[in-house]
Amino acid sequence: MAQAAPVVPLLGQPSFITLQSHVLGEERRHPGATGTLSWIISALSIAAKTIAAKLRTAGIEDVLGDIGAENVQGERQQKLDVIANHLLIQLLRAREGVAVIGSEENDELLLVDAAAAGGRHYSVLFDPLDGSSNLDVAGGVGTIFSIFQIGDGDSGTLQAGRHQVAAGYVLYGPSTIFVLTTGHGVHMFVLDPAVGAFIRVAEHLRIPARGNTYAVNEANLDGFPPAYRRFLAQCRAQGYGSRYAGAMVVDVHRVLIKGGVFMYPPTAKAPQGKLRLMYEANPMAMLIEQAGGRASTGTQPILDVQPDALHQRVPVVLGSPEEVAALEAMLAAP
Ligand code: P6P
């Protein structure tokens, strides 16, 4: 009589579930799935591993510094911004089903040849190397991505974040971490360079109901609307600490794991804040909501914002439900 194979911890892992096997498992939840979305996530995984490898030798290889040009945001483009952007575009456009690509580094949406008519088509939006100004000082940086399914021929319209079918980020830090949601919870993977695979280390992450830190650029404090200043003063009075990396992926990952609040409020010089809706705020908002948190512009859920431009900016307040709700209440008070 055959016996069930004993679960043998492989490579010291309690369960050796890779990102790819996780995604295929998610795909089986959808009987009509064609595997196209799984292939797209696979392309993002390859991009993440390649970017991680380049970052590990940055400085040895001549990939640091800026290229002497600005992107559509008016920000100095780092060499690795351009490398990461080019890599993501090349990998994604080779994936059947990717019809539209949007990048922080490109002025306009890129329309690529999708699958034969009738297949499922997707748009993939990303910030290829978020926080890249940290690169020259070996600080944490990340890749943020947002995926929508689109109808045949529907290639230029932008959808509200509530319609994302998947979102996630890659954090290039002491380890390389891939955080993903396809609408059924938030799951975390760590790259094992020895194996060359992302190994699942956490499933169905839940953000703490409240934390004890806030992440905001306090140099802009005097330009924040009064309610933000009152909220931050209240946090300090309650003993909150301040943690700010200047890279959204790093700061949001900390909030996802430890709780608390991340914000980029309106300022005098940036009345809509600095962060971009389509490839920073929306994907992070989907992740945080999937983990039981809240993600707001201060006056409405980020995921309900109807976009009208690829690079539009929104104020961002996201994190533990108690802190975000407290700030929203202050903003709503007369
Ligand atoms: P500031 C990085 O440039 C970024 O887009 C986000 O990753 C980060 O949260 C924010 O801008 C930092 O902006 O104005 O505080 O340097």
Side-chain angles (χ1 to χ4, degrees), residues 75 130-131 217 220 244 246-248 262 264 274-276 280:
E75 296 166 343
D130 170 67
N217 184 340
N220 299 328
Y244 192 67
M248 188 183 196
F262 167 85
Y264 206 104
K274 174 184 179 184
L275 301 177
R276 278 57 56 127
E280 289 174 320

PDB file of all heavy atoms in Angstrom, residues 75 130-131 217 220 244 246-248 262 264 274-276 280, ligand 1:
ATOM      1  N   GLU A  75      12.561  64.415 -13.110  1.00  0.00           N
ATOM      2  CA  GLU A  75      13.537  63.872 -12.158  1.00  0.00           C
ATOM      3  C   GLU A  75      14.777  63.389 -12.902  1.00  0.00           C
ATOM      4  O   GLU A  75      14.677  62.860 -14.018  1.00  0.00           O
ATOM      5  CB  GLU A  75      12.887  62.690 -11.399  1.00  0.00           C
ATOM      6  CG  GLU A  75      11.693  63.098 -10.541  1.00  0.00           C
ATOM      7  CD  GLU A  75      10.861  61.893 -10.082  1.00  0.00           C
ATOM      8  OE1 GLU A  75      11.018  60.793 -10.691  1.00  0.00           O
ATOM      9  OE2 GLU A  75      10.050  62.056  -9.161  1.00  0.00           O
ATOM     10  N   ASP A 130      11.924  52.436  -8.020  1.00  0.00           N
ATOM     11  CA  ASP A 130      11.381  53.451  -7.110  1.00  0.00           C
ATOM     12  C   ASP A 130      12.420  53.807  -6.048  1.00  0.00           C
ATOM     13  O   ASP A 130      13.050  52.916  -5.473  1.00  0.00           O
ATOM     14  CB  ASP A 130      10.140  52.842  -6.445  1.00  0.00           C
ATOM     15  CG  ASP A 130       9.630  53.695  -5.314  1.00  0.00           C
ATOM     16  OD1 ASP A 130       9.151  54.807  -5.572  1.00  0.00           O
ATOM     17  OD2 ASP A 130       9.760  53.258  -4.149  1.00  0.00           O
ATOM     18  N   GLY A 131      12.613  55.098  -5.836  1.00  0.00           N
ATOM     19  CA  GLY A 131      13.575  55.525  -4.820  1.00  0.00           C
ATOM     20  C   GLY A 131      15.009  55.487  -5.306  1.00  0.00           C
ATOM     21  O   GLY A 131      15.947  55.389  -4.523  1.00  0.00           O
ATOM     22  N   ASN A 217       7.945  62.730   5.009  1.00  0.00           N
ATOM     23  CA  ASN A 217       9.099  63.625   4.897  1.00  0.00           C
ATOM     24  C   ASN A 217       8.817  64.874   5.719  1.00  0.00           C
ATOM     25  O   ASN A 217       8.142  65.812   5.257  1.00  0.00           O
ATOM     26  CB  ASN A 217       9.357  64.004   3.437  1.00  0.00           C
ATOM     27  CG  ASN A 217      10.627  64.857   3.290  1.00  0.00           C
ATOM     28  OD1 ASN A 217      11.082  65.461   4.266  1.00  0.00           O
ATOM     29  ND2 ASN A 217      11.186  64.886   2.091  1.00  0.00           N
ATOM     30  N   ASN A 220       8.844  68.725   4.905  1.00  0.00           N
ATOM     31  CA  ASN A 220       7.733  69.434   4.245  1.00  0.00           C
ATOM     32  C   ASN A 220       6.626  69.831   5.218  1.00  0.00           C
ATOM     33  O   ASN A 220       5.583  70.343   4.810  1.00  0.00           O
ATOM     34  CB  ASN A 220       7.112  68.531   3.156  1.00  0.00           C
ATOM     35  CG  ASN A 220       8.126  68.157   2.084  1.00  0.00           C
ATOM     36  OD1 ASN A 220       9.030  68.931   1.773  1.00  0.00           O
ATOM     37  ND2 ASN A 220       7.989  66.955   1.523  1.00  0.00           N
ATOM     38  N   TYR A 244      11.700  57.016   7.939  1.00  0.00           N
ATOM     39  CA  TYR A 244      11.479  57.470   6.565  1.00  0.00           C
ATOM     40  C   TYR A 244      12.710  57.167   5.723  1.00  0.00           C
ATOM     41  O   TYR A 244      13.795  57.633   6.019  1.00  0.00           O
ATOM     42  CB  TYR A 244      11.183  58.977   6.518  1.00  0.00           C
ATOM     43  CG  TYR A 244      10.660  59.463   5.188  1.00  0.00           C
ATOM     44  CD1 TYR A 244       9.410  59.054   4.730  1.00  0.00           C
ATOM     45  CD2 TYR A 244      11.395  60.324   4.385  1.00  0.00           C
ATOM     46  CE1 TYR A 244       8.905  59.508   3.514  1.00  0.00           C
ATOM     47  CE2 TYR A 244      10.909  60.776   3.167  1.00  0.00           C
ATOM     48  CZ  TYR A 244       9.657  60.360   2.732  1.00  0.00           C
ATOM     49  OH  TYR A 244       9.174  60.803   1.536  1.00  0.00           O
ATOM     50  N   GLY A 246      12.688  57.449   2.235  1.00  0.00           N
ATOM     51  CA  GLY A 246      12.724  58.188   0.969  1.00  0.00           C
ATOM     52  C   GLY A 246      12.527  57.287  -0.235  1.00  0.00           C
ATOM     53  O   GLY A 246      12.744  57.690  -1.371  1.00  0.00           O
ATOM     54  N   ALA A 247      12.092  56.061   0.010  1.00  0.00           N
ATOM     55  CA  ALA A 247      11.723  55.129  -1.065  1.00  0.00           C
ATOM     56  C   ALA A 247      10.413  54.484  -0.636  1.00  0.00           C
ATOM     57  O   ALA A 247      10.374  53.805   0.406  1.00  0.00           O
ATOM     58  CB  ALA A 247      12.800  54.078  -1.280  1.00  0.00           C
ATOM     59  N   MET A 248       9.369  54.675  -1.444  1.00  0.00           N
ATOM     60  CA  MET A 248       8.036  54.230  -1.037  1.00  0.00           C
ATOM     61  C   MET A 248       8.007  52.747  -0.707  1.00  0.00           C
ATOM     62  O   MET A 248       7.393  52.340   0.284  1.00  0.00           O
ATOM     63  CB  MET A 248       7.034  54.547  -2.149  1.00  0.00           C
ATOM     64  CG  MET A 248       5.592  54.294  -1.758  1.00  0.00           C
ATOM     65  SD  MET A 248       4.487  54.621  -3.151  1.00  0.00           S
ATOM     66  CE  MET A 248       2.910  54.726  -2.259  1.00  0.00           C
ATOM     67  N   PHE A 262       2.035  55.427   6.477  1.00  0.00           N
ATOM     68  CA  PHE A 262       2.897  56.103   5.500  1.00  0.00           C
ATOM     69  C   PHE A 262       2.063  57.192   4.835  1.00  0.00           C
ATOM     70  O   PHE A 262       0.885  56.977   4.522  1.00  0.00           O
ATOM     71  CB  PHE A 262       3.393  55.119   4.437  1.00  0.00           C
ATOM     72  CG  PHE A 262       4.028  55.796   3.244  1.00  0.00           C
ATOM     73  CD1 PHE A 262       5.360  56.160   3.251  1.00  0.00           C
ATOM     74  CD2 PHE A 262       3.256  56.106   2.115  1.00  0.00           C
ATOM     75  CE1 PHE A 262       5.934  56.803   2.150  1.00  0.00           C
ATOM     76  CE2 PHE A 262       3.824  56.756   1.021  1.00  0.00           C
ATOM     77  CZ  PHE A 262       5.166  57.105   1.043  1.00  0.00           C
ATOM     78  N   TYR A 264       2.218  60.749   1.998  1.00  0.00           N
ATOM     79  CA  TYR A 264       2.823  61.823   1.228  1.00  0.00           C
ATOM     80  C   TYR A 264       1.718  62.852   1.000  1.00  0.00           C
ATOM     81  O   TYR A 264       0.954  62.761   0.051  1.00  0.00           O
ATOM     82  CB  TYR A 264       3.435  61.377  -0.097  1.00  0.00           C
ATOM     83  CG  TYR A 264       4.549  62.322  -0.517  1.00  0.00           C
ATOM     84  CD1 TYR A 264       5.878  61.976  -0.395  1.00  0.00           C
ATOM     85  CD2 TYR A 264       4.247  63.612  -0.968  1.00  0.00           C
ATOM     86  CE1 TYR A 264       6.887  62.867  -0.730  1.00  0.00           C
ATOM     87  CE2 TYR A 264       5.241  64.516  -1.289  1.00  0.00           C
ATOM     88  CZ  TYR A 264       6.570  64.137  -1.164  1.00  0.00           C
ATOM     89  OH  TYR A 264       7.556  65.036  -1.477  1.00  0.00           O
ATOM     90  N   LYS A 274       3.224  64.059  -4.290  1.00  0.00           N
ATOM     91  CA  LYS A 274       4.275  63.731  -5.267  1.00  0.00           C
ATOM     92  C   LYS A 274       4.030  62.376  -5.916  1.00  0.00           C
ATOM     93  O   LYS A 274       4.457  62.132  -7.046  1.00  0.00           O
ATOM     94  CB  LYS A 274       5.631  63.712  -4.561  1.00  0.00           C
ATOM     95  CG  LYS A 274       6.774  63.238  -5.443  1.00  0.00           C
ATOM     96  CD  LYS A 274       8.076  63.153  -4.683  1.00  0.00           C
ATOM     97  CE  LYS A 274       9.210  62.664  -5.571  1.00  0.00           C
ATOM     98  NZ  LYS A 274      10.472  62.494  -4.796  1.00  0.00           N
ATOM     99  N   LEU A 275       3.351  61.480  -5.234  1.00  0.00           N
ATOM    100  CA  LEU A 275       3.297  60.091  -5.701  1.00  0.00           C
ATOM    101  C   LEU A 275       2.281  59.922  -6.830  1.00  0.00           C
ATOM    102  O   LEU A 275       1.233  60.568  -6.851  1.00  0.00           O
ATOM    103  CB  LEU A 275       2.995  59.162  -4.514  1.00  0.00           C
ATOM    104  CG  LEU A 275       4.043  59.254  -3.405  1.00  0.00           C
ATOM    105  CD1 LEU A 275       3.669  58.383  -2.218  1.00  0.00           C
ATOM    106  CD2 LEU A 275       5.434  58.905  -3.914  1.00  0.00           C
ATOM    107  N   ARG A 276       2.611  59.010  -7.749  1.00  0.00           N
ATOM    108  CA  ARG A 276       1.796  58.822  -8.937  1.00  0.00           C
ATOM    109  C   ARG A 276       0.734  57.755  -8.665  1.00  0.00           C
ATOM    110  O   ARG A 276       0.994  56.691  -8.091  1.00  0.00           O
ATOM    111  CB  ARG A 276       2.674  58.389 -10.111  1.00  0.00           C
ATOM    112  CG  ARG A 276       3.408  59.507 -10.853  1.00  0.00           C
ATOM    113  CD  ARG A 276       4.320  60.399 -10.033  1.00  0.00           C
ATOM    114  NE  ARG A 276       5.343  59.689  -9.310  1.00  0.00           N
ATOM    115  CZ  ARG A 276       6.652  59.977  -9.374  1.00  0.00           C
ATOM    116  NH1 ARG A 276       7.059  60.939 -10.166  1.00  0.00           N
ATOM    117  NH2 ARG A 276       7.538  59.293  -8.679  1.00  0.00           N
ATOM    118  N   GLU A 280       2.240  53.833  -8.413  1.00  0.00           N
ATOM    119  CA  GLU A 280       2.725  53.855  -7.023  1.00  0.00           C
ATOM    120  C   GLU A 280       1.535  53.701  -6.076  1.00  0.00           C
ATOM    121  O   GLU A 280       1.427  52.720  -5.344  1.00  0.00           O
ATOM    122  CB  GLU A 280       3.494  55.156  -6.738  1.00  0.00           C
ATOM    123  CG  GLU A 280       4.849  55.222  -7.444  1.00  0.00           C
ATOM    124  CD  GLU A 280       5.557  56.569  -7.290  1.00  0.00           C
ATOM    125  OE1 GLU A 280       4.886  57.616  -7.354  1.00  0.00           O
ATOM    126  OE2 GLU A 280       6.789  56.574  -7.115  1.00  0.00           O
TER     127      GLU A 280
HETATM  128  P1  P6P B   1      10.685  62.959  -1.056  1.00  0.00           P
HETATM  129  C1  P6P B   1      11.033  58.385  -4.623  1.00  0.00           C
HETATM  130  O1  P6P B   1      11.540  59.482  -5.384  1.00  0.00           O
HETATM  131  C2  P6P B   1       9.541  58.629  -4.420  1.00  0.00           C
HETATM  132  O2  P6P B   1       8.892  58.628  -5.650  1.00  0.00           O
HETATM  133  C3  P6P B   1       8.960  57.580  -3.484  1.00  0.00           C
HETATM  134  O3  P6P B   1       9.568  56.347  -3.613  1.00  0.00           O
HETATM  135  C4  P6P B   1       9.197  58.175  -2.110  1.00  0.00           C
HETATM  136  O4  P6P B   1       8.223  57.755  -1.158  1.00  0.00           O
HETATM  137  C5  P6P B   1       9.092  59.683  -2.378  1.00  0.00           C
HETATM  138  O5  P6P B   1       9.357  59.882  -3.778  1.00  0.00           O
HETATM  139  C6  P6P B   1      10.115  60.455  -1.596  1.00  0.00           C
HETATM  140  O6  P6P B   1       9.907  61.831  -1.904  1.00  0.00           O
HETATM  141  O7  P6P B   1      10.111  64.254  -1.567  1.00  0.00           O
HETATM  142  O8  P6P B   1      10.333  62.716   0.413  1.00  0.00           O
HETATM  143  O9  P6P B   1      12.150  62.758  -1.335  1.00  0.00           O
END
